Amino acid sequence: ALLLIGLASGFCSSKSMQRRSFGLPNARHAIFQARHQRDEEEQNDVKPSIHRRSLLASTVTAAYCTCCHPFSANAAIELTQSSTNNLRPRSKLIDRIFAQQMATGMIDYEKEVEQYKAALFQKLFNTLASGSSNSGGTSVPVIVEVGMGTFPNAQYYAKALSSGVELKGLDIIGVDPNLLMSSYAQDNARLHGLSSSLRTVDGVAEDLPFADGSVDAVVTTLTLCSVEDQIKALSEIRRVLKPNGGKFMFWEHVLSEDDKNLALQQTILNPIQTISADGCHLNRRTGVNIQKTFDGNVDLN
């Protein structure tokens, strides 16, 4: 797979990656085992079989650019009422299987990209800390993760916060159309000491429940491949970001621009992928759309 990393106030250089197998960390494994046992009691005939990123041998764009079932958290902003809940029908059974797969099936992938994502989140947090300092250090940054899923990024928030950045707190709001992801996200938040900072909300990227210019940062990781309307989703992200200093950090797999054979494979396999992986597309030119939406104010390294 090709890895593109960058910032959107971002565009990326490509690096090759090889995938390896890694064991589950003990704590996360215990969480999954308990949850798996509960799910088997409820539906003992269900066996996880859907791999959301089963065809992730594609290009990944990562960048950083200039959502409810609320839990107790450092709530710095109030949510607005969304006019649209879900743009496509959802199956509770499929959502349950998918959430279970995402909770365990991406462990090796996260290990592969850990150093790149950690650096990206650190850069974002340094910027947030700088903005907080300039405003007197009293505000709590609001970070919206669109398509948060099971919150695999919790480890990167924790690492960035432990690096010495000075923030009064965080208001992290996870938006996802799959309600069954929420409990996994809360488990990961607790595992990394972020329980008091996280709220989760049932919603879609095309209709974010936030006022204009109210959010300090928006994060998407392997999300824009699956949204129903990518241009509308990106427009919503820009709408809710603060006009002065708001940041959009993204990490997305996209259509290969420099390998014609890979691009052809992605195009051929795309119909199967969208059906088997919750609407995930292999052939989107996400970087191009981000550049257009943010008027070229994108820093891709």
Side-chain angles (χ1 to χ4, degrees):
L2 295 178
L3 182 67
L4 301 178
I5 305 176
L7 296 183
S9 92
F11 227 99
C12 298
S13 60
S14 62
K15 297 181 180 293
S16 61
M17 291 167 45
Q18 292 183 339
R19 301 188 60 163
R20 300 189 300 273
S21 297
F22 294 85
L24 288 172
N26 291 337
R28 188 171 297 173
H29 181 63
I31 288 172
F32 170 71
Q33 288 290 77
R35 195 171 294 284
H36 182 62
Q37 182 177 355
R38 181 203 65 195
D39 289 344
E40 280 194 332
E41 290 172 356
E42 293 176 357
Q43 299 185 39
N44 57 21
D45 61 331
V46 175
K47 298 296 181 182
S49 60
I50 296 178
H51 298 270
R52 173 164 197 181
R53 306 303 177 215
S54 60
L55 299 175
L56 194 62
S58 59
T59 307
V60 175
T61 299
Y64 150 96
C65 167
T66 330
C67 324
C68 169
H69 185 79
F71 290 80
S72 175
N74 298 320
I77 63 170
E78 295 183 1
L79 305 183
T80 62
Q81 182 64 45
S82 298
S83 58
T84 303
N85 186 26
N86 288 312
L87 296 184
R88 61 174 178 262
R90 304 199 67 85
S91 162
K92 188 174 182 179
L93 173 61
I94 296 300
D95 280 356
R96 181 185 301 280
I97 296 172
F98 197 66
Q100 206 170 61
Q101 282 295 312
M102 292 302 290
T104 60
M106 297 293 285
I107 302 296
D108 59 341
Y109 173 80
E110 290 296 334
K111 286 288 186 180
E112 288 287 353
V113 302
E114 181 177 358
Q115 69 180 78
Y116 305 107
K117 290 179 77 173
L120 202 57
F121 273 90
Q122 186 65 60
K123 193 168 186 177
L124 173 62
F125 273 68
N126 289 343
T127 302
L128 292 175
S130 177
S132 177
S133 176
N134 292 337
S135 65
T138 58
S139 61
V140 174
V142 177
I143 302 178
V144 173
E145 267 222 34
V146 180
M148 172 175 275
T150 61
F151 200 19
N153 293 327
Q155 60 177 309
Y156 306 116
Y157 286 79
K159 287 177 182 177
L161 287 172
S162 66
S163 68
V165 294
E166 295 185 6
L167 292 170
K168 294 294 182 181
L170 284 178
D171 184 8
I172 307 169
I173 307 171
V175 182
D176 204 286
N178 184 344
L179 279 171
L180 296 173
M181 294 282 193
S182 181
S183 59
Y184 291 104
Q186 289 295 329
D187 285 342
N188 267 325
R190 281 189 288 272
L191 185 62
H192 295 284
L194 298 170
S195 293
S196 64
S197 299
L198 177 65
R199 293 184 279 168
T200 57
V201 52
D202 177 31
V204 294
E206 294 88 345
D207 189 18
L208 298 175
F210 308 103
D212 296 358
S214 61
V215 173
D216 294 285
V218 173
V219 173
T220 69
T221 60
L222 303 183
T223 295
L224 295 175
C225 58
S226 300
V227 297
E228 195 83 3
D229 185 332
Q230 191 176 92
I231 297 298
K232 186 174 181 180
L234 288 168
S235 296
E236 273 289 276
I237 289 171
R238 180 166 182 173
R239 176 186 68 78
V240 303
L241 282 172
K242 291 181 178 179
N244 296 317
K247 300 295 179 184
F248 173 33
M249 196 198 89
F250 56 92
W251 178 281
E252 302 289 341
H253 70 84
V254 298
L255 180 69
S256 176
E257 300 285 352
D258 55 10
D259 186 330
K260 292 182 179 180
N261 290 330
L262 175 56
L264 178 60
Q265 292 177 45
Q266 290 174 292
T267 301
I268 293 172
L269 293 173
N270 191 65
I272 300 173
Q273 177 76 349
T274 56
I275 294 172
S276 65
D278 201 17
C280 172
H281 292 71
L282 296 173
N283 61 349
R284 285 184 169 173
R285 303 187 69 200
T286 304
V288 173
N289 289 334
I290 291 174
Q291 291 275 18
K292 289 179 179 178
T293 302
F294 288 88
D295 301 325
N297 294 319
V298 181
D299 176 21
L300 291 174
N301 301 314

